[in-house]
Amino acid sequence: MEDKENKLNINLPEDVAEGVYTNMAIISHSMTEFIIDFVRLMPGVPKANVKSRVIMTPENAKRLLMALKENIDKYEADRGRIQGGGAPKMPVGFNVPPKGDA
């Protein structure tokens, strides 16, 4: 008996393969979905546009979390620890009220 693997044929159109650069992600959720908005912030520009939005189930969001952790662990094992990872700081040029101001 021949052992057949389950194979998935994934198409990557050229316009999607080019990717979209972002330097911020905003994550929100409801009972049934997680929404990740990928944003590009530009220094000195007080407005930023969402470049891509991904909506997924809570289960798939958790799978993404685990896959990112696995890949970050592999990256750091090969290239060293990635600096940062704490609370994000707004780039210079963005007017963010100091803590305590409403």
Side-chain angles (χ1 to χ4, degrees):
M1 186 158 107
E2 192 174 313
D3 188 25
K4 293 185 179 181
E5 288 185 38
N6 290 333
K7 293 187 180 184
L8 179 61
N9 185 8
I10 297 174
N11 182 41
L12 182 60
E14 283 186 46
D15 60 328
V16 175
E18 290 179 16
V20 175
Y21 176 78
T22 67
N23 51 11
M24 185 172 104
I26 299 169
I27 303 170
S28 55
H29 66 276
S30 69
M31 289 292 293
T32 58
E33 59 197 14
F34 275 71
I35 300 137
I36 308 171
D37 287 329
F38 294 95
V39 179
R40 183 184 311 148
L41 299 172
M42 301 300 291
V45 180
K47 182 178 180 180
N49 292 322
V50 172
K51 295 298 181 178
S52 182
R53 172 175 275 189
V54 176
I55 303 168
M56 59 181 59
T57 65
E59 295 82 8
N60 283 337
K62 190 155 189 177
R63 287 185 190 101
L64 174 62
L65 172 69
M66 292 185 297
L68 279 171
K69 176 157 181 15
E70 180 181 328
N71 278 270
I72 288 171
D73 289 346
K74 288 177 184 178
Y75 179 96
E76 289 183 332
D78 186 46
R79 294 177 177 87
R81 182 174 162 85
I82 299 170
Q83 297 302 312
K89 295 179 183 175
M90 292 302 287
V92 175
F94 284 85
N95 296 324
V96 178
K99 288 185 179 181
D101 288 356

